[in-house]
């Protein structure tokens, strides 16, 4: 793992955005994996700035997001479809036909998971952006007794519901289930860029980097991947 430590979230996001921008310039038709959450917002802002000011071209890219809540319509303000539109898609020249998120609204969730997995298998990710939950989840691969390879439906842990209630009016409104990319597509990405900021991530960052590889701390599996860049702020790196 290549670890870089920055003063704050803004600085780590700008540095990580540079890595994405370099890839996009080198390979304009790259396939990217994307994350939501508060950590990468400034990364998306920096990519939008480069689109506006430095001609960064998104028109030939294809993107796959990690996850979506089950039961939220794409136009629900807390859905990840809506997040991606607001934070990135509507500001750059991505082709909407080539931006993909799992379908959280399908009547048959298992079928939706299989369909997303098949799409991912035909489009290996060149670079995958990850955040990490306070509990060490990546995507919505929650701590459990085993790693799950394929896109799947997951019941969110209490810790994730607590962490994500800040985006909703109350914890009761946080969906209990999500559909998430599994470990096969995550580990199959050519390069992984994981961002973590804040002292509440420090213990999971330490376990991800220095602890045993265990599905109880899903991000620890990244120790097995040959090209992981960790962009941390000082608070998240404080226990390393
Ligand atoms: C989001 C995702 C999650 C988040 C993680 C951290 O698509 O897959 O794993 O990256 O929960 O979220 P923040 O950045 O809000 O702390």
């Amino acid at each position: 793992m290549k670890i870089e430590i920055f003063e704050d979230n803004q600085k780590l996001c700008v540095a990580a955005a540079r890595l994405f921008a370099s890839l996009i310039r080198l390979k304009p038709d790259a396939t990217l994996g994307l994350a939501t959450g508060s950590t990468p917002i400034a990364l998306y802002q920096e990519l939008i700035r480069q689109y506006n000011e430095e001609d960064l071209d998104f028109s030939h890219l294809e993107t796959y997001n990690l996850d979506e809540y089950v039961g939220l319509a794409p136009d629900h303000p807390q859905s990840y479809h809506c997040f991606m539109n607001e934070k990135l898609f509507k500001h750059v020249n991505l082709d909407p036909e080539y931006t993909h998120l799992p379908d959280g609204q399908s009547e048959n969730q298992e079928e939706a998971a299989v369909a997303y997995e098949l799409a991912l298998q035909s489009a290996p990710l060149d670079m995958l952006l990850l955040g990490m939950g306070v509990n060490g989840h990546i995507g919505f691969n929650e701590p459990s007794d085993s790693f799950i390879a394929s896109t799947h439906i997951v019941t969110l842990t209490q810790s994730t519901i607590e962490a994500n209630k800040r985006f909703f009016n109350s914890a009761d409104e946080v969906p209990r289930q999500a559909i998430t990319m599994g470990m096969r597509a995550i580990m199959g990405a050519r390069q992984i860029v994981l961002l973590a900021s804040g002292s509440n991530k420090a213990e999971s960052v330490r376990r991800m980097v220095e602890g045993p590889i265990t599905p109880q701390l899903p991000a620890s599996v990244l120790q097995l991947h040959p090209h992981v860049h960790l962009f941390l702020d000082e608070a998240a790196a404080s226990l390393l």
Side-chain angles (χ1 to χ4, degrees), residues 3-6 12 196-203 205-206 209-210 230-240:
I3 304 178
E4 293 188 63
I5 300 170
F6 299 82
L12 74 85
S197 52
S199 55
N200 61 342
K201 303 276 174 77
E203 174 59 13
V205 166
R206 186 192 66 74
V209 176
E210 297 173 1
L230 294 187
F231 288 82
L232 309 175
D233 70 2
E234 286 167 5
S238 59
L239 298 180
L240 289 178

Side-chain angles (χ1 to χ4, degrees), residues 9 34-41 65-68 80 83-84 129-141 160 163-164 166-167 180 195-197 200-201:
N9 173 268
L34 299 177
T36 62
S38 35
T39 315
I41 290 175
N65 265 77
L66 284 160
D67 41 21
E68 177 57 288
Y80 287 169
F83 177 101
M84 289 311 299
L129 177 63
L130 293 177
M132 183 180 60
V134 174
N135 64 4
H137 71 212
I138 46 178
F140 273 135
N141 291 273
T160 296
N164 287 7
R166 67 192 194 280
F167 300 114
T180 182
L195 316 183
S197 52
N200 61 342
K201 303 276 174 77

Side-chain angles (χ1 to χ4, degrees), residues 77-90:
Q78 304 314 334
S79 74
Y80 287 169
H81 280 78
C82 192
F83 177 101
M84 289 311 299
N85 267 332
E86 292 301 318
K87 302 299 181 200
L88 181 67
F89 295 167
K90 75 179 190 188

Side-chain angles (χ1 to χ4, degrees), residues 84-121:
M84 289 311 299
N85 267 332
E86 292 301 318
K87 302 299 181 200
L88 181 67
F89 295 167
K90 75 179 190 188
H91 302 285
V92 296
N93 62 342
L94 274 162
D95 181 341
E97 289 228 354
Y98 292 99
T99 60
H100 312 276
L101 286 95
D103 179 2
Q105 255 214 324
S106 168
E107 282 181 10
N108 187 332
Q109 286 300 313
E110 295 305 328
E111 262 176 37
V114 170
Y116 203 65
E117 185 61 25
L118 287 176
L120 283 165
Q121 281 178 16

Side-chain angles (χ1 to χ4, degrees), residues 1 7 16 43 52 55 67-68 74 79 97 112 117 128 136 155-156 175 186 194 221 225:
M1 287 183 178
E7 201 180 322
L43 180 152
N52 288 321
D55 293 330
D67 41 21
E68 177 57 288
S79 74
E97 289 228 354
E117 185 61 25
L128 167 63
T155 298
L156 299 178
I186 290 175
L194 186 143
V221 75
H225 192 284

